[in-house]
Each structure stands twice: as structure tokens, then as C-alpha cells.
Amino acid sequence: MAAHRNYHPLPNQLGLGLDLPLSHYELLHEKQRGVVIHWERKAPEGKRWIKIKPNDPRIPEIFRYDQGREDIFITVNEFDGWRFIRLLRSLRSLYVDLDDYTDVYGVLDACTDAQIPTPNIIVASGKGLHLYWLLEPLPPKALPVWQRCQDALIRIFRPLGSDAAAKDCTRLLRVVGTRNKGEEVRAIVLDGHHWSLRQIAFEILGTEGKAKVRDIRVKRKTPDKAIQGSIYARWHLVFQDLLAISGHYGHHIPEGYRDKWLFLIGVALSWFTHPEGIEDEIVGLAHHHTDLEQPEIRQAMQPVLKRALQAAQGHTIEWNGQKVDPRYRFRRQTLYDWMSDLIPPTLLPNLRAIIPNEEQKRREQARQSARNRAKEGRYATQYTLDGVTVANEEKRATARLLRAKGWAYRKIAAELGVSGMTVCRWCSDVT
């Protein structure tokens, strides 16, 4: 890696210094759309958490008070009330937490070697580095691709000590200008540009040859196939369908289906967050959508937590002679069979993942028919070998027949709804 260092500027030319809590907050949450959670570890019980809403008049004072204080954190992303995945409002950054690693040049070398863009912000957290790739505000439906990018970044920086547990969208990170065991949290800004999801996903996940670092302001016309569809996307749809089923019953799952519903939503969540975050998510969902008591909730989620923890630790299990991720996977039909009694015909059209195989087949046939109709429409506008569109062949034949009967060009044009010049061209070889 040392061979690359000649291309890096001197340390004092790396970027703009960032040392104020408010500047960190404003750069990360530019055009804020949801709630940012602020946490002070050493504050008195009941006063540790602050929910910062967009345009909150307290913002300048909150972050002015943070300057130089110990153990202050904010969420990387934004939420509707609290930092649960189901309440995610806006994704604002990709991030990597490097434990016990402080060499900024090493980070830049790793980016060069992996051919990915350098972070927008590098934060010296007091015992390691936090790397940020700033994003344009993204809606919750972007979570599957966001999660794939997170996983890829963690793999890239694994040799530098990336924290595999720090990959969920609900994460809190230290605020610049505060302190960690007496050490000041400082940062440099290499670029204040905010990435679009399409741009950054291609740069990190792209497979057209090898994704190269291009001008970050040049947007791609089409997304790379590597970022379209994934197991994350599928389970995100399952998660949304389970919430839709609950919504159909007034967010109160009927008795007899509550533990099964809770188990499946835990399985879906296991593909998006680390085990330490899943438990709080499942408990919150159970209280909001079921009447299950705490022992029943724990019983429903223990298998999910166990397998999610195994996956986070890099374990695999044997399945069909292959080693696979230990997290649960279910076929489409199995998911539907489990939930079918809760899915009336009026709800089925609103679901995208928990549907029977025959419904999936019907939808695919409908999509194929639509594609065929579109193709036929495009074909109808194409030209034949003798200079007329397919759609106008019949009109041309009619025009020639009428002309042979002695009709005037103007009369034929009026009859067929075309111009007189067109009729002349069509009938030029008719005597």
C-alpha cells in the first residue's frame, strides 16, 4: 500500500478541519426530514435522549452545549419518532466504524486498492476512525440497497478493523467536538458532496468490469444490474407485507397468529440489522401489533436472535450439501401458507412478497402481456422495407384502391385522416 502514498496530499492539506458539533450535525443532516436522536451517555436518567425535529429552535443551543462534553452521540439517519427500522424516515449516510485504527492514509490507500470513492468525512473518534459517505435524502424503500453497500464497505475495510456489528441504519455515532475518555473527537471533510444512491451503489457494488472512481458529479444514466434485487430487497418486501397485514386488522394481529407473525417479522429484520438491535425492534413491534406478554415475545424471537448472532459471527450451516448463511429463509408459498388465513382477497393485491405461487405466476403473465403489447406498439411504429410504417400499411392499401377508382388526393386524405402529401407519396406508383 505504501506505493500509493505519493498520490496523497500532505496531512495539513487533506481537507477542511471539522471541530464544532453543530457543523457535524448540519453536514450530516442537511435538509433534515425526520427526527435525529441525540444521546448523552452520562446524563441523568430520563435526560439522556433528545429528539431533534427538523427546524427545532433548540438546535444551536443543544450543540453549543455539547462542545467539549463526554460521550455525546447522534443517529446517522433520521426517523419518525424513535430509532426503529419500522420508523425509518430518511437515510443520510453510509458509514464504517474502525476500531483502534487511526491512520488516515491507510484509509485512503484502502479506497484506492478497492477502487471505491474516499469518504466525505473522516472522524477521529478518540479510539479509532468513523468514515462517512454522505447521501442525498433517501426514503425507507432504499434500505435494501443501502444495507448491501454497508456490508460491502465493512468487508472492504475488514483488514483495518471495521466493526462488523456497526452496520445497521439505527446506529448512533460520536459527535465531533465532544470527548471520548478525555480525547477530543475531531474530523476532516474531504468533500461535502452528497451522493445519490445510484451513484454510490454503482461505485461500491458495480460489476461492469471493475467499478472505477469517476467524477462524483457525473451521474450514470442507468443503474448497474448488481444493485437491482437482492435477498435484502426480498425480505424488505416481506417486512412491509407483514406490516400491511397488521394494518388490515387495525394493527392488532388476531389471537392464534401473533407468535407466527412476530417470528416472521423477526426473520425479516434479521437481514437488516445486527442482533443487538433486533431485540428492541421485535419487542417494540410486539407491543404495537400484538397483546403478547414478555415471556411469549421472548419465546417467539429467540430462534431468530440465535441465528442472527451466528450470521454476525460469520458462522454457516449445512444445507443441501452447501454451507449457507444461518439466517432463516422461506419460500414464497410457505410464507403465504403461514399467513393465508389473515389475507382476504381484498388485501392480496396490495402484497408483493407474501403471495401464493399461482398469484405470482398470474402477475408475471400480466407483466409479460403488458411487455408484449408495448412491443407490438413499438413494432407498429417501425417502417417496412418500402417506406411506410406497419400501422399505416392498411391505410396505404386503401388509398391506392380509392385512387385507382378515381378519387382525388384531397378526398382520400380527408377520408383516411392523413395529409394530401402523404396520399400523393403512397399513390405515386398508381396510375
Side-chain angles (χ1 to χ4, degrees), residues 307 315-327 329:
R307 293 210 179 190
H315 297 310
T316 59
I317 60 174
E318 192 85 18
W319 188 79
N320 281 353
Q322 295 182 330
K323 296 207 175 278
V324 300
D325 189 298
R327 286 173 286 190
R329 304 165 187 246

Side-chain angles (χ1 to χ4, degrees), residues 67-86:
Q67 184 73 39
R69 296 177 63 82
E70 284 277 344
D71 296 336
I72 309 292
F73 303 78
I74 58 172
T75 49
V76 176
N77 299 305
E78 298 167 9
F79 302 85
D80 284 326
W82 193 245
R83 58 187 192 103
F84 288 132
I85 291 175
R86 69 178 187 275

Side-chain angles (χ1 to χ4, degrees), residues 230-241:
S230 66
I231 195 165
Y232 300 119
R234 180 183 182 245
W235 281 105
H236 191 246
L237 290 177
V238 172
F239 180 78
Q240 291 175 319
D241 280 1

Side-chain angles (χ1 to χ4, degrees), residues 383 386-389 392-393 395-397 399-400 403 409 412-413 418-430:
Y383 280 89
D386 54 351
V388 65
T389 62
N392 285 333
E393 280 189 300
K395 286 187 177 182
R396 181 179 63 173
R400 289 178 171 180
R403 181 60 181 167
Y409 291 134
I412 296 172
V418 297
S419 69
M421 186 67 70
T422 297
V423 173
C424 289
R425 187 176 70 251
W426 285 349
C427 301
S428 61
D429 58 346
V430 177

